[in-house]
Amino acid sequence: MDKFVIHGGVPLRGRVQVKTAKNAVLPMMSAALLTREPVVLHDVPRLRDIDTMAKILEELGVVVERDGAGMKLQTRNELNCEARYELVSQMRASFCLLGGLLGRRRKAKVSLPGGCVIGVRPVDLHIKGLQALGADMKVEGGYVIGEADKLVGTDIYLGGAYGSTVTGTANVLMAAVLAQGTTVIDYAACEPEVQDLCVLLTKMGAHIEGIGSPRLVVHGVPELHGAEHTPIPDRIEAGTFMVAAAMTGGDVVVENVRVDHMSAVVETLRHIGVTVLTNGNWIHVHSDGAFKPVDLVTLPYPGFPTDLQAQFMTLLTLADGISVVQEKIYPDRFMHVAELMRLGANIRKEGNFAIIKGVDRLNGAKVMASDLRASAALVVAGLAAEGTTEISRIYHIDRGYEEIEKRLIPLGARIERIRDQKRIAIEEAA
Ligand code: EPU
């Protein structure tokens, strides 16, 4: 397994480009199941999750062609409706194949995604929404199986104990666009990635009102056609670079950003005492390395994103006082806490709260990445820590950040990927 070695303490300076959002791209790839015409996506990042999704789609009869950063997906064969455990278990987002399959093929068998290190991640709302549209849904042998003679629009309340569901909304949307009549999704997720899926579906011929609001009204159409689309920039990647710039006392312009997607992040950084200037499609972050404590609660969009909780907690380890972070989306998403403490952070976890008492500095150590965003947090911590930090299991970060080290090095970061010799040998033999 590859690892990162980081010699920290260098302020980051320069400009960095944000890639398109993997969490927007993945459901869009599933939307290619809704038509036999080509769906073309531009600027698709090179990520492990996207490769896995492409593999599953190919098994489902979709030809996926990549040409540089472009991706063309075209359904050629609609016979197989089963997304296998072996692939789906590698990546939870593949569960949003369910809506794409049911929407057009009226048949789907998708493996339950299985356990996840950030906590229990149920799919009851996905099932409830699809059932409401008339699909016969059952869970059998670890698979969710859905069948429908026809899908009929209806009113669906999609809220759960933790608020709205992002991929649940995507699944119900993809089934509703080809249903008969009108579907009203109440408590729909408002996340930019869901909005962007609506934009693509609209380009494909779907009729959706209320995009970006918690009430989506979908007027079903008999057929969709092909379309071309450039997905939105990744707001979580942008936020990660912003925290890295701030925490190292740096000065960085983060480019290719949708500033309107970043309000909670910009506001929080300013409260922490970081200078943040926004303009057009870039954000300039300047920091003198002094940070004020804040209280932070993760919430569905437009609230503070859970996918930046670990990175912000890392920054708060150096604040001048006590900060409280409450995780309201995934109450168990605290795997990074123990690793940050190995670097010298002072954090106490109490249920879904973390109480962070700022320290003067972090010191490099050996740590282990447990999941995508926790690994991003450890990279940020390593960049700011004094001495050398070694992060193992960085395959997690490769799921969601394209070659992050190659984009940090031009900013002055001293970060090196140590490739796994065994993996190199296997790749060379293949
Ligand atoms: N929930 C239910 N029932 C359901 C579905 C969700 O109770 O049927 C609960 C979840 O347990 C959670 C909350 O609702 O407490 C929100 O979960 P949601 O369904 O919105 O999450 P998701 O769609 O599975 C996406 C992102 C996550 C991100 C969350 C929240 C993708 C592929 N994944 O997951 O991204 O954390 O929304 O914003 O879009 C990541 O990128 O690191 C990541 C985990």
Side-chain angles (χ1 to χ4, degrees), residues 12-63:
L12 299 186
R13 291 188 200 287
R15 310 175 91 83
V16 62
Q17 282 273 333
V18 172
K19 303 276 176 184
T20 55
K22 81 154 175 85
N23 286 351
V25 173
L26 293 168
M28 286 177 188
M29 291 174 73
S30 172
L33 292 163
L34 296 170
T35 173
R36 289 195 74 120
E37 293 184 18
V39 171
V40 177
L41 301 176
H42 300 291
D43 294 344
V44 174
R46 290 247 161 228
L47 297 172
R48 208 157 60 91
D49 274 9
I50 287 174
D51 292 343
T52 308
M53 190 68 157
K55 251 189 236 160
I56 307 178
L57 281 165
E58 280 180 341
E59 290 196 359
L60 294 169
V62 180
V63 175

Side-chain angles (χ1 to χ4, degrees), residues 97-114:
L97 291 163
L98 195 59
L101 284 170
L102 262 178
R104 187 176 148 94
R105 303 187 190 181
R106 302 291 197 246
K107 223 172 155 186
K109 182 172 177 187
V110 180
S111 168
L112 279 164

